[in-house]
Amino acid sequence: MAFKSLLTVLTGLEDADPALRQIIALAGAQDAHAEALCLGVDCTQTGYYYAGANAMLLQETLTRANAEAAEILAHANAVLGKSGVMWSADDGVAQIADLGRHVAHRARFSDLVVLSRPYGKNRGAAAEPIVEAALFEGHAPVLVVPDEGEPLTTPKNILVAWNQSVEAMRAIRRALPFLRAADLVRIVVIDPPTHGPERSDPGGLLAQMLARHGVTCEIDVLSKSTNRVSDALNRHAVDTSADLMVMGAYGHSRFREAILGGATRNMLEQAKIPVFMAH
């Protein structure tokens, strides 16, 4: 299976280009359709308007969001129109509290959602909820790309973060089109458990499964030399010149379906290469 339906969600011009460059590159490499959803986000909360707020104020925020959506759509049309790939783009307006519903609906019908990094300079309030909605509510794999660097087409040296979790295995299965085409896949295990079925051969069963798909694997067992696993993974990615990282996405919330867990946030804040995630 290849990635044939690609989606990106754009809510501002400041961080639109990394995602557009990446979705165009992948659409060309995979003979896929690139789709851009351009949203104007109303970040006000209707229930928190001050006393005396009237319909004119509500109309003003809606007008502003519509104008932003139209501006983003015009930019996406201009970039995608020159790309030579199959593409489509449309726009809409969403309140920040209802953003997840719109993103999740489109993500469910996509093979892969391509998004710019949700943290960093010029990131709006909608960036993180969009990643969360695609992963946890849309149940789609997400490729998060850094602001700089060449867009990914066919990664040749892939790092897989393996901790025996359901999330990690789901990400690996979703990433198989990339893994099969790679020259080398490094299965990275950090501080393997001293008890359990993989204590004597950490990563061995996963390597066996991937080899049956024609994937060339190596297993790298590392010690956790820092407080954060993400630091060790990012350092190893640099040391081995990896061009893609595959990992499970973790979340927790008492109020929503899920929000990004700390380990996932740390990875997305620091990673210098694209990160492929699934939940």
Side-chain angles (χ1 to χ4, degrees):
M1 173 185 170
F3 301 112
K4 290 298 184 182
S5 182
L6 308 175
L7 171 70
T8 189
V9 182
L10 309 175
T11 58
L13 296 179
E14 297 84 1
D15 58 350
D17 286 340
L20 285 172
R21 287 195 300 268
Q22 181 58 79
I23 202 172
I24 289 169
L26 273 183
Q30 302 271 333
D31 191 26
H33 184 99
E35 180 182 2
L37 175 60
C38 307
L39 292 176
V41 181
D42 177 6
C43 291
T44 59
Q45 300 285 354
T46 304
Y48 293 94
Y49 280 116
Y50 58 84
N54 54 29
M56 290 184 64
L57 179 58
L58 294 172
Q59 184 60 47
E60 181 183 346
T61 60
L62 181 61
T63 300
R64 185 185 306 118
N66 273 302
E68 290 173 354
E71 185 180 27
I72 300 166
L73 178 63
H75 180 70
N77 284 338
V79 174
L80 291 168
K82 297 183 293 185
S83 67
V85 303
M86 296 178 289
W87 66 278
S88 60
D90 56 16
D91 63 346
V93 170
Q95 278 199 316
I96 188 70
D98 193 37
L99 184 60
R101 178 173 63 89
H102 297 273
V103 174
H105 175 70
R106 301 294 279 269
R108 289 190 191 109
F109 300 98
S110 303
D111 296 324
L112 181 63
V113 180
V114 178
L115 299 172
S116 296
R117 183 186 292 179
Y119 309 106
K121 188 178 180 181
N122 297 324
R123 294 302 186 266
E128 187 175 36
I130 287 172
V131 175
E132 294 167 359
L135 283 168
F136 301 127
E137 299 170 54
H139 303 286
V142 172
L143 181 68
V144 177
V145 298
D147 294 345
E148 300 173 350
E150 291 299 315
L152 199 67
T153 53
T154 305
K156 295 302 181 183
N157 185 5
I158 301 177
L159 187 154
V160 170
W162 177 237
N163 62 357
Q164 306 180 46
S165 68
V166 172
E167 292 87 352
M169 180 57 79
R170 184 165 293 138
I172 291 163
R173 287 198 171 107
R174 293 292 191 94
L176 273 173
F178 283 144
L179 302 180
R180 288 194 190 107
D183 293 336
L184 178 63
V185 172
R186 295 180 181 274
I187 300 170
V188 180
V189 184
I190 298 177
D191 281 350
T194 55
H195 302 283
E198 289 198 2
R199 66 186 183 278
S200 61
D201 185 19
L205 289 176
L206 176 60
Q208 176 180 274
M209 184 198 85
L210 292 177
R212 290 169 178 167
H213 284 278
V215 179
T216 301
C217 300
E218 289 184 2
I219 300 173
D220 296 343
V221 179
L222 309 177
S223 61
K224 185 182 175 184
S225 56
T226 66
N227 291 329
R228 298 195 297 194
V229 170
S230 59
D231 292 338
L233 288 172
N234 278 310
R235 185 168 58 247
H236 197 60
V238 172
D239 291 344
T240 59
S241 301
D243 47 19
L244 175 67
M245 185 178 301
V246 176
M247 62 176 288
Y250 306 94
H252 55 78
S253 178
R254 289 180 292 176
F255 306 105
R256 299 175 45 182
E257 181 171 342
I259 60 175
L260 291 174
T264 307
R265 286 198 304 272
N266 290 338
M267 181 59 69
L268 296 183
E269 287 172 354
Q270 300 174 33
K272 304 299 183 185
I273 60 175
V275 179
F276 183 106
M277 300 185 301
H279 177 73

